[in-house]
Amino acid sequence: MPTRKLALSLATAAGGVPLLLALWAPAASARLVQPAVAIGAARTVAAPTYMVVSASAIASAAGRDVMAAGGNAIDAAIATGMALAVTYPTAGNIGGGGFMVIRMPDGRATTIDFREMAPKAAKPEMFTDSTGAYSSRIHHNSLMSVGVPGTVAGFALAHSKYGKVKWNTLVEPAVRLAADGFDVPKGLAASLGGAINGKFKNFPASVAAYSKSGTAYAMGERMKLPDLARTLERIRDNGKDGFYRGETARLLAQEMKRGGGLITEDDLANYVAKERAPVTARYRGYEVISMAPPSSGGVAMTEMLNILEGYDLAKAGHNSPQYVHLVVESMRRAFLDRARHLGDPDFSKAPLDRLMSKDYAAQLRKDILPDRATPSAPSQIVQQHESDETTHYSVVDASGMAVSVTYTLEAGYGLGAVVPGAGFLLNNEMGDFNGKPGVTDSTGLIGTDANLARPGKRMLSSMTPTIVAKDGKLVAVVGSPGGRTIINTVLQVVLNIIDFKMPVQDAVNAPRFHHQWLPDVISFERNGIAPTAVTALEAMGYRLRAGGNQGTAHSIMVDATGVRIGAPDARDADAGAAHN
């Protein structure tokens, strides 16, 4: 059936496939599905040489300026990430961690793992109370939920191996933003207003840092962060030792001791970021390069792509019942394997070769029925919560080097606790470890061994920074925040680009959906699946739930002439691309 287009040039569902269900009536093909998000300040931009796209237009400009001064994509990624710690505090950070995927101009690829680590006093039973019962408060909302931060070490490792300009020039823009201040943009003003009256209430240092004597900043008001500026100065002048040793480390460890946290100065001094080989999927002639464990993103997406390669998705129609059915069934199987097998590779060995093989995908396809949902059973596995509050940014330089970075504090503003005197927010990433050994139940707890807390271990993640190439040429840089939805958001952007040949902004704006094995429900963005398609899917045995926006996939595509096309996701109010 013919492809339709949404208002604002969003490509959307064409209509059903007759062999699927008569319930998907031909009249449905004429129904326009409204976009999941209004197109606001974020907009597509094109440039011949270099591009940065992030959740903060201010931070994107910091990365652009570094490349304008002779830096490469690694340098720009570090400058952008440091600036995001100032201008996008809900997820931008020096107190958290994440992953970086790098593709060189000659096609070689590598990754930097700077995921947080458990402190040396961590143990599998650490999230239980005095009675031995699991405690969600300890797991997610106490200083025991803070992992040893990895961002500064990860950036330092990337710079030492692949950077081009001096370290201090990369941190200086963030120092200036924090010390001199910046005009608070609309999205940050709204976000901080909620945090001041909510998450920050129990942390006086947080209220002091991010408000005017308890009053939230309004859009356009100038916000200065002097304590954070001094911490950034120490990082600028002393590299990673400016964070992991000396005054900053002392202040962080002091706050841990005061509030019952576990991180010591030794934990900080012993943190190590790692370079790891990427995961690469081969899909319809494209290379899809992503992150290996302790991120589950690359493995899960590879498994999904391998399954979906056996179907003609373009013929099914974007977000048609058959398309949603096939994609959901691939998601269901990959998320089950994620829960069963994946964790920190330094502590447990998952059968990655099997999970990512074409033969295994062919075996999984045999169990996918053409017109019926596969049930998910709690006895097989149960998924636990992972926060939606992360951020992603994409960079391409003039030489064609590409960098995809996803990093996080876990929940929005992490724990909500600013380190007194140091000015940065602490993560609550320990919440991504399983809650209690052996306890897997219908409430969302999971107790399998692969992701239990242990000293020096990195918690499992869903972050999926990704780079797409074909025939030796860079095609796209993508990624997203969104907790468990990250993998499925990135998957759908990739499918939109490869199977549906969408322009990158359409690929980013198109409505998205999510399934993660359990709960056994398809969540989808408002108006993202037509009512008749919902009816058809329900007749196949699916439960569906309409919800809010899913992810923010700030992406870059390179066209056939080499022009970089930046696509900020308008689901992020302050997003923007900076370029030349």
Side-chain angles (χ1 to χ4, degrees), residues 69 93 144 158 184 188 192 228 293 534 557:
N93 72 84
M144 288 180 68
V184 175
L188 179 58
L192 283 176
L228 178 58
V534 171
M557 197 166 181

Side-chain angles (χ1 to χ4, degrees), residues 341-364:
H341 300 294
L342 299 184
D344 186 338
D346 297 331
F347 285 76
S348 61
K349 300 301 179 186
L352 299 186
D353 289 344
R354 179 174 69 87
L355 296 178
M356 296 188 293
S357 73
K358 300 287 187 181
D359 288 344
Y360 182 59
Q363 176 186 335
L364 293 175

Side-chain angles (χ1 to χ4, degrees), residues 146-215:
V146 182
V148 182
T151 295
V152 176
F155 287 174
L157 177 60
H159 178 260
S160 68
K161 300 204 74 168
Y162 304 109
K164 187 176 178 183
V165 301
K166 291 183 179 179
W167 171 262
N168 60 354
T169 65
L170 307 181
V171 185
E172 180 63 20
V175 172
R176 295 273 59 85
L177 285 167
D180 299 341
F182 63 97
D183 296 338
V184 175
K186 179 180 179 181
L188 179 58
S191 179
L192 283 176
I196 295 299
N197 297 310
K199 187 166 236 183
F200 291 170
K201 273 189 172 181
N202 295 326
F203 301 103
S206 303
V207 175
Y210 287 104
S211 73
K212 303 171 298 178
S213 301
T215 301

Side-chain angles (χ1 to χ4, degrees), residues 167 171 175 227-243 245-249 251 421-424:
W167 171 262
V171 185
V175 172
D227 286 347
L228 178 58
R230 285 187 286 273
T231 294
L232 289 166
E233 286 172 352
R234 290 190 286 271
I235 296 169
R236 177 196 64 194
D237 297 340
N238 301 300
K240 70 175 184 179
D241 283 351
F243 184 86
R245 298 178 186 271
E247 179 69 2
T248 303
L251 290 168
F424 64 90

